[in-house]
Amino acid sequence: MWSLLPSALQRSRTDHIPVLADEVHELLAVQPGQTVVDGTFGAGGHARLLASDLQGAGRFIAIDRDASVRPYFESFQREARMQARFLRGDFGIVLPQLADNGVEADAILLDLGVSSMQIDRPERGFSYAVDAPLDMRMDPSGAVTASDVVNEWDDRELATIFRRYGEERFARQIAQAIVRRRAERPFERTADLVEVVKGAIPAPRRFGDGHPAKRVFQALRIAVNDELAALERSLPAGLAMLRPGGRIAVISFHSLEDRIVKRFFAVQAKGCVCPPELPVCVCGREPTLRLVTRKAVRPSPHEIAENPRSASARLRVAQKPEEA
């Protein structure tokens, strides 16, 4: 077997650990000679497993908005010894561009959310556990930072994103506390924001469900990177790119993300949409996807014990029907 396979299957505890890797590997069922698109390449953990099935034949397209992943891709490319291409950009923009250019794929993977390597780099400002500049951009060249949001958006806008993207029950109180604090001096560091969030939440509720700033940081990250809109743009493009029999897999870490994926897959898997009172179908609509996973696949207790960050992961997979 060619050289990529051993390194793809051997995991070190110090390496980035791809979430639900075995499940993705099995359910995408990549075959030699196919085309694989990884919309969120990151450190290449999933990519190595999927490329091992290509066995040196086929094509691999890696997408990521973070330029710092390029060295990971270059290492992957050397090991893979096959046609591989890196496209830097938001998958919500790149996938529609590929679809418009007639690029076809047999397997597409989207691993949503922030990567472990981004969280573990304090200077990126994603973590509430370490004091750092208040940034949170997945693309460091992006125009808007988390500091911009907390310093410039009004309290209603802040409360809306905290409630919608973070499901934060004290969204209004936190937003008002932020506005009061920034009137004295602007927010520049993550620790400043954590302190204000803690102070705005009633003491008995601060530690009932993880870190008290967890939901606010999640909401800011989603807003800064426009993550939900990117997902909504990418799913139709991914469907358009799939060859008959091709599969698309999406790993989400947030209920809103999972809801978007579930709804899209369900709508595309539905055939006739005629009113039930009609005796025969007149719409002629055929399903454009078949559900491979009827329910979201969740990490095993063993995986969660090995990688606690996987606990909220949900995997859904769908397949484009074979041509008749």
Side-chain angles (χ1 to χ4, degrees):
M1 185 61 68
W2 54 304
S3 63
L4 175 60
L5 186 55
S7 62
L9 299 180
Q10 294 172 4
R11 302 176 191 164
S12 166
R13 293 183 65 88
T14 61
D15 292 338
H16 168 69
I17 304 173
V19 172
L20 290 164
D22 293 335
E23 292 83 354
V24 168
H25 188 212
E26 177 183 354
L27 291 169
L28 275 181
V30 172
Q31 301 297 314
Q34 291 187 336
T35 296
V36 177
V37 177
D38 186 345
T40 45
F41 182 79
H46 288 112
R48 284 179 163 81
L49 285 170
L50 299 177
S52 69
D53 288 334
L54 293 176
Q55 298 183 13
R59 185 182 182 194
F60 200 100
I61 300 173
I63 303 169
D64 205 291
R65 66 168 73 183
D66 190 342
S68 70
V69 311
R70 186 174 290 277
Y72 293 95
F73 173 76
E74 291 172 352
S75 174
F76 163 81
Q77 189 177 36
R78 287 192 298 270
E79 295 175 357
R81 300 177 183 176
M82 54 183 267
Q83 185 181 358
R85 182 183 180 192
F86 178 73
L87 301 175
R88 184 190 170 192
D90 178 347
F91 63 79
I93 296 173
V94 176
L95 284 176
Q97 290 174 340
L98 293 175
D100 289 344
N101 288 325
V103 176
E104 296 182 321
D106 300 285
I108 299 174
L109 171 64
L110 300 177
D111 181 5
L112 307 178
V114 63
S115 72
S116 293
M117 64 181 186
Q118 290 172 329
I119 294 175
D120 293 337
R121 292 175 180 168
E123 70 275 11
R124 303 297 294 272
F126 286 105
S127 176
Y128 43 75
V130 181
D131 185 30
L134 192 54
D135 194 320
M136 300 193 195
R137 291 173 297 177
M138 292 179 177
D139 178 355
S141 68
V144 178
T145 68
S147 178
D148 296 328
V149 174
V150 298
N151 286 316
E152 297 173 11
W153 292 21
D154 65 35
D155 60 340
R156 292 187 300 275
E157 292 173 312
L158 291 172
T160 296
I161 65 168
F162 296 158
R163 189 178 300 111
R164 182 185 178 203
Y165 299 157
E167 298 176 310
E168 173 56 67
R169 68 179 68 183
F170 300 104
R172 181 174 58 84
Q173 294 94 317
I174 293 170
Q176 291 173 344
I178 287 173
V179 171
R180 288 193 300 269
R181 158 62 167 74
R182 77 188 190 196
E184 301 172 7
R185 62 186 188 279
F187 287 90
E188 296 179 353
R189 311 283 299 183
T190 57
D192 297 333
L193 180 59
V194 169
E195 180 182 3
V196 170
V197 171
K198 284 182 178 179
I201 298 175
R205 300 294 185 93
R206 287 178 192 166
F207 298 97
D209 185 24
H211 194 283
K214 176 180 68 174
R215 291 172 292 277
V216 167
F217 271 63
Q218 173 180 276
L220 284 171
R221 191 205 78 220
I222 291 173
V224 166
N225 296 287
D226 199 21
E227 294 176 38
L228 298 184
L231 176 60
E232 290 175 333
R233 292 192 301 266
S234 68
L235 292 172
L239 173 59
M241 291 175 62
L242 281 182
R243 294 189 177 104
R247 295 187 174 192
I248 180 170
V250 184
I251 303 174
S252 60
F253 293 84
H254 186 282
S255 60
L256 290 176
E257 295 170 338
D258 184 56
R259 201 172 302 143
I260 290 170
V261 178
K262 179 181 179 181
R263 182 173 63 244
F264 179 81
F265 282 2
V267 169
Q268 299 302 322
K270 190 174 182 180
C272 174
V273 292
C274 292
E277 60 270 17
L278 290 181
V280 295
C281 173
V282 296
C283 72
R285 187 181 187 278
E286 297 290 337
T288 56
L289 283 175
R290 178 184 68 82
L291 300 181
V292 176
T293 55
R294 292 289 173 180
K295 295 182 179 180
V297 178
R298 305 175 67 169
S300 67
H302 174 75
E303 178 172 359
I304 295 173
E306 289 288 311
N307 179 17
R309 290 174 179 169
S310 70
S312 60
R314 304 289 183 270
L315 168 66
R316 295 185 186 273
V317 183
Q319 182 178 36
K320 179 172 280 191
E322 298 277 3
E323 292 180 337

